[in-house]
Amino acid sequence: MEPLFSYGTLQQTQVQLDTFGRELDGYKDTLIGYTLGEVTITDPKVIASSGKSVHPILVHTGSSTDRVDGTVFLLTDDELTQADNYEVDEYVRVQAHLVSGKRCWIYAAGK
């Protein structure tokens, strides 16, 4: 199973059902070295699922004082691919560190 840190719409039940076909179980954790920005979404499928055209997006700062709270979900490889398909082009999947000391995948702003 692959840990994915969610701070936005992937925490919504409807998005989980639309993307993975199931509701996810997760645990709270905090991401280090990022702040939240916003991105305007134009993909009609993503907007219909989330109910929003503006989504949060992680912006890397590298500062240990910048932190974002969220939820870690454990996904299969297939589900991680489904999450990749849900996220629009402005997001890139990278690994990051959490306050708990664990590593996880995140979707952050591309450079």
Side-chain angles (χ1 to χ4, degrees):
M1 300 294 276
E2 296 287 338
L4 174 67
F5 178 82
S6 175
Y7 54 91
T9 61
L10 283 175
Q11 294 182 84
Q12 295 176 225
T13 301
Q14 189 59 53
V15 171
Q16 293 175 9
L17 293 173
D18 292 344
T19 305
F20 309 111
R22 69 180 180 102
E23 193 170 344
L24 303 176
D25 290 321
Y27 58 90
K28 299 292 182 192
D29 211 328
T30 302
L31 181 64
I32 303 168
Y34 287 81
T35 60
L36 284 179
E38 291 184 338
V39 63
T40 300
I41 304 297
T42 58
D43 185 317
K45 185 176 176 185
V46 173
I47 294 170
S49 184
S50 69
K52 303 174 186 181
S53 62
V54 176
H55 288 202
I57 191 165
L58 291 170
V59 178
H60 183 259
T61 65
S63 172
S64 62
T65 60
D66 289 331
R67 295 171 180 228
V68 176
D69 293 329
T71 305
V72 177
F73 298 113
L74 296 178
L75 303 180
T76 66
D77 288 338
D78 286 343
E79 288 172 331
L80 196 55
T81 298
Q82 291 167 326
D84 288 344
N85 292 335
Y86 169 78
E87 298 295 352
V88 296
D89 291 342
E90 287 80 6
Y91 294 86
V92 294
R93 179 164 50 95
V94 296
Q95 289 214 324
H97 292 280
L98 300 168
V99 168
S100 65
K102 297 178 182 177
R103 289 183 61 82
C104 65
W105 291 108
I106 62 168
Y107 290 101
K111 295 188 179 188

